[in-house]
Amino acid sequence: LVILNQKEKGETTFNFDLKKFQEKYPDLDIRMLDVNLSDITDGKLEIIDTEIKRILCELPHVGMELPKQWRVIREELQKVAEPYISLEKFRIICSERGVTEKEDQDLISTYLHRLGYIIHFQKIRQLRDFIILEAEWALQAIYTLLLHKKVKLADGRFSEELIDELWTTYSNEQKNILLNLMKENRFD
């Protein structure tokens, strides 16, 4: 939901290209409300409230039936000291807590991903075997690279040498995970 706060009577203060974002993110239901929050008597504040509630109720994970142990699994994942784990380790954690069916484990992973507790792209071959537990770990590495002067001067392009120069504390496996994550267009 994009809310444009109207400052001038009859005009918004900036243009938002709704169609552009709908085309860029076809999987998202992007809607726009044009309001003037300085005039709360026009009923638009109630419209915003109603629209937010409706959107929240329609989220795919709302009403999803989960195995009862999902909270225990989430808490156990929060105790893990590593920034990411393998899918195999995730399945072991689930099994040790009574969730032994692969479908139930995948459902928990989907739920935790949608809520932002983990990053797990189950359907992306290069990423499905890894579950990132610390988004900050990934973001720090990615932004260290993308904000580097050489990358900016090269219009976002970078070499393997620069990756090795900047990501000295990361293993080759971790570098590959991060690069594949950067390729995933739903990570922005």
Side-chain angles (χ1 to χ4, degrees), residues 3-149:
I3 299 174
L4 299 178
N5 185 21
Q6 183 175 315
K7 301 261 186 195
E8 303 286 328
K9 190 140 184 108
E11 295 179 30
T12 54
T13 58
F14 60 96
N15 292 324
F16 177 78
D17 190 346
L18 178 63
K19 186 172 182 167
K20 175 184 171 185
F21 280 87
Q22 288 172 329
E23 289 171 357
K24 186 174 180 179
Y25 302 101
D27 294 341
L28 297 180
D29 179 18
I30 302 174
R31 299 172 193 199
M32 184 170 68
L33 289 176
D34 195 4
V35 299
N36 182 353
L37 295 176
S38 66
D39 180 10
I40 60 171
T41 62
D42 66 358
K44 291 204 176 178
L45 200 56
E46 289 79 16
I47 292 171
I48 293 171
D49 183 61
T50 302
E51 187 68 8
I52 289 172
K53 288 176 183 174
R54 188 194 59 71
I55 289 170
L56 290 174
C57 289
E58 290 177 359
L59 290 173
H61 57 275
V62 172
M64 186 184 281
E65 287 194 34
L66 290 168
K68 291 179 182 178
Q69 293 296 91
W70 81 269
R71 283 191 182 111
V72 174
I73 293 167
R74 181 195 67 200
E75 290 166 2
E76 191 62 33
L77 291 172
Q78 290 172 330
K79 293 177 188 174
V80 175
E82 295 89 29
Y84 72 96
I85 58 172
S86 67
L87 177 58
E88 180 182 351
K89 184 169 182 176
F90 176 78
R91 294 202 188 288
I92 291 169
I93 290 170
C94 289
S95 294
E96 289 174 348
R97 276 126 198 103
V99 181
T100 57
E101 297 295 322
K102 181 183 178 298
E103 295 79 22
D104 290 337
Q105 295 169 355
D106 290 343
L107 183 63
I108 290 172
S109 167
T110 298
Y111 189 74
L112 293 175
H113 174 86
R114 286 182 178 161
L115 290 177
Y117 288 108
I118 64 172
I119 299 171
H120 187 208
F121 292 103
Q122 293 179 11
K123 296 180 181 175
I124 307 298
R125 184 177 54 83
Q126 298 90 340
L127 293 170
R128 69 176 156 224
D129 292 333
F130 301 98
I131 297 175
I132 296 176
L133 304 175
E134 296 176 23
E136 188 62 34
W137 169 82
L139 290 172
Q140 182 179 1
I142 290 168
Y143 283 115
T144 296
L145 178 62
L146 294 180
L147 296 176
H148 192 274
K149 184 174 82 173

